[in-house]
Every structure is written in C-alpha cells, then in structure tokens.
Amino acid sequence: MNFALILFVLVIVTGLAWIADKLIFQPGRRRAAEAAVAAFDEQQLAIGTAANADGVASARAKLRDDKLRQPWWLEYSASFFPVILAVFLVRSFVVEPFKIPSGSMIPTLHIGDFILVNKFDYGIRLPLLNKKIISIGEPQRGDVMVFRYPKDESMDYIKRVIGVPGDIVAYENKRLTINGKPLPMTQLPDYFDQERIAYFKQYNETIGSVTHRILNDPNVPPFILGASDFPYRSNCTYNSEGVVCKVPPGHYFMMGDNRDDSADSRYWGFVPDKNIIGKAFFIWMNFSDLKRIGMIH
C-alpha cells in the first residue's frame, strides 16, 4: 500500500473542499443567513414582537446558526484539511516513521522497532516522485539508510551504507575492506538471538566515524550464493571468499549488520540515489522492549 499516495489524494480532496467552502459555500451560507435573519426581523416587526425578548433573540440566533452550519460532508472534509496537510508536509520533508519488519539489521535494529527517518539530511525531494530538488548532503559510510528496494520500488528497505560512489568494497572471508583498507574490528561476547534461539559471533566494526555492532554466523560459508542479475553487475567479482565491487557513480553499496542473515547489495546490487528515502536516526518505540528507545548508531 502506497501510504504517501493515499495521503496526497486526501490532501487534494480535502483541500478542494476547504477552498470551495471558503470561496463558494461559506459566502453563500452567510448571504442565506443574512436573508433569513432579515425576513425573521420583518416578521417579528409585523406582529409587533420586541426584538430583544429572550425567546425571540434565541430563535433569531438559532436561525442564523442553522443557516451558517456546514453540511456534514463538508464539515468533515474541510476541517480535516489542515491536519492532513500538516501530516503530509512533515512526512514528506521532515521526518517519517517506519517499523522494522526483519532481523537483517540485528543487533542495531530489532524486529518491532519503530524508528524515525530524517527526510532532509540527504536533500529535499518531491513527494511521490522522490526527485531531489535541493541538495543538502549525501549519504556517508556508516549511515543507516532507508531506501526503495531496487528490485521492487514499492518496498522500503533499511541497511547500512558501506560504499559510496567510487569506492571499491571487498567483503571476503567475512571481513570488510574499503579502498584497500580493512575496517577495524573488535570481538565482543557472543550475541544470543532470542528469535532464532542461537548464539552468533559479535564484533564492533568501525566505518568512517561510526562504530557499530555486527553479527557473523560461523556456520555460514563466506562465498555469496544466489546473487541475481542487476545494473552494473560487471562492477562486481564473486569468488570463493566473497565479493569485490566498485560502486558506480550515483549509487551506494548497502549491507545489513546481521551479515549472514541479510539480503543486501551483495545479492541484488547497488542502490541508486533516486531510491533514497532518508537517514534513520531514532528508535521511538518497541512495545516488547521499552529499553530499545534511543538514538541509532
């Protein structure tokens, strides 16, 4: 379901109702109210009733209110317009919420984490078209980024930025090397995955200015099985130890922190700039574990 498209349609429909009410229906109701009140006053004058009598004043006010009242369909549609517009603008240009559906980013992100994604760090983009109109910044190595899955752009994925345009990324024997320099790794105590009821090797890995945790499964071989065809696949060389890729211009190499349980750029290729949604920066809720709330690293 394309929630952005649904929200956009609601903005258009309620916005048209709001404009029509301000320019057409509201002036018409005012004229009708004024005419009704004038006729009421003439009627009361003809029968000699004092205009300031309590009952007359109340009936006069009720008559005016009835004529000014919006029809129910217009009241709901026009009154919701400012709220829907505000949600649309915030979601399109400032911050957007997502829910983590899989374990590919464990231990950084868990299934059920509700996260916030910064929509302007990587530039201002037109809603729906996702075309960048104002350039502010570019993804950096180590960022956790949400993007449209290149194989099916109706799906949103979240991974970590490993390679930026021009980088040579090697993932061999479960070690990352970028432009010929191995990334520093420090072994941590094994990680217990409660979903899979198993222990995995855990490390601190430093990429750029970001130090984050990753998982490796010693039972999974280092070579890549099932890599599909994708644009610029000729930039990648697969071997028995893993894969080496040169990131093409305007694209990014993405990987999950759960290295042996993540379908990522090793399998389906590079992420083009046009598919970028934003930078994940905060976990605002996990109903199973409130301690998860906090910044994303």
Side-chain angles (χ1 to χ4, degrees):
M1 181 182 295
N2 191 331
F3 184 71
L5 179 59
I6 295 173
L7 203 57
F8 178 74
V9 171
L10 288 175
V11 168
I12 296 299
V13 172
T14 57
L16 289 174
W18 184 84
I19 293 172
D21 185 48
K22 296 297 181 185
L23 299 181
I24 300 172
F25 298 122
Q26 190 177 79
R29 292 196 304 274
R30 285 175 178 169
R31 288 192 297 269
E34 290 169 359
V37 169
F40 179 86
D41 290 343
E42 288 179 4
Q43 183 185 30
Q44 298 306 309
L45 185 62
I47 63 177
T49 305
N52 60 354
D54 289 344
V56 173
S58 176
R60 187 177 188 274
K62 183 178 184 302
L63 176 64
R64 184 176 185 278
D65 290 344
D66 287 344
K67 293 296 182 181
L68 288 175
R69 184 175 295 114
Q70 295 172 310
W72 67 267
W73 61 269
L74 188 59
E75 180 180 3
Y76 281 102
S77 56
S79 61
F80 278 125
F81 170 64
V83 176
I84 295 174
L85 178 62
V87 172
F88 179 75
L89 292 175
V90 169
R91 189 179 183 276
S92 298
F93 300 112
V94 183
V95 67
E96 183 175 356
F98 287 88
K99 182 183 178 181
I100 302 301
S102 73
S104 69
M105 283 294 291
I106 293 174
T108 304
L109 297 173
H110 292 189
I111 298 172
D113 282 349
F114 290 86
I115 65 169
L116 296 178
V117 173
N118 184 315
K119 296 298 290 285
F120 57 85
D121 258 9
Y122 300 147
I124 304 298
R125 297 170 185 265
L126 289 175
L128 302 180
L129 300 177
N130 209 41
K131 180 178 176 57
K132 187 187 293 186
I133 54 175
I134 300 176
S135 183
I136 296 176
E138 304 295 337
Q140 303 297 311
R141 300 185 197 99
D143 289 354
V144 177
M145 188 170 81
V146 176
F147 54 92
R148 292 190 174 95
Y149 177 43
K151 295 285 188 180
D152 181 358
E153 294 188 0
S154 67
M155 300 175 63
D156 298 327
Y157 268 35
I158 183 166
K159 306 290 180 186
R160 192 175 296 275
V161 179
I162 300 299
V164 299
D167 280 350
I168 297 177
V169 177
Y171 187 69
E172 296 179 306
N173 294 317
K174 303 193 179 185
R175 289 295 303 269
L176 259 178
T177 299
I178 300 178
N179 299 326
K181 297 180 180 179
L183 298 189
M185 288 178 60
T186 305
Q187 188 162 0
L188 299 173
D190 288 353
Y191 178 86
F192 180 70
D193 188 329
Q194 295 182 350
E195 294 288 330
R196 300 171 66 181
I197 314 177
Y199 282 94
F200 299 96
K201 297 297 182 182
Q202 181 176 210
Y203 302 87
N204 263 341
E205 182 182 79
T206 301
I207 177 169
S209 60
V210 178
T211 297
H212 63 99
R213 293 183 296 158
I214 64 167
L215 299 183
N216 275 331
D217 183 351
N219 296 316
V220 175
F223 51 84
I224 309 300
L225 286 175
S228 63
D229 192 23
F230 52 83
Y232 299 102
R233 196 182 194 280
S234 59
N235 284 30
C236 296
T237 301
Y238 292 88
N239 55 51
S240 60
E241 297 176 336
V243 62
V244 180
C245 292
K246 182 173 182 179
V247 186
H251 290 71
Y252 298 88
F253 191 92
M254 313 295 298
M255 290 180 67
D257 290 345
N258 193 353
R259 293 287 163 78
D260 292 312
D261 192 23
S262 171
D264 48 40
S265 288
R266 294 170 292 176
Y267 297 90
W268 42 251
F270 308 100
V271 175
D273 181 81
K274 67 181 182 67
N275 285 39
I276 292 174
I277 293 177
K279 179 181 179 181
F281 69 96
F282 191 75
I283 301 169
W284 63 271
M285 179 57 69
N286 185 311
F287 292 106
S288 300
D289 185 1
L290 295 180
K291 294 179 181 179
R292 297 281 309 146
I293 296 173
M295 300 301 293
I296 296 172
H297 301 287

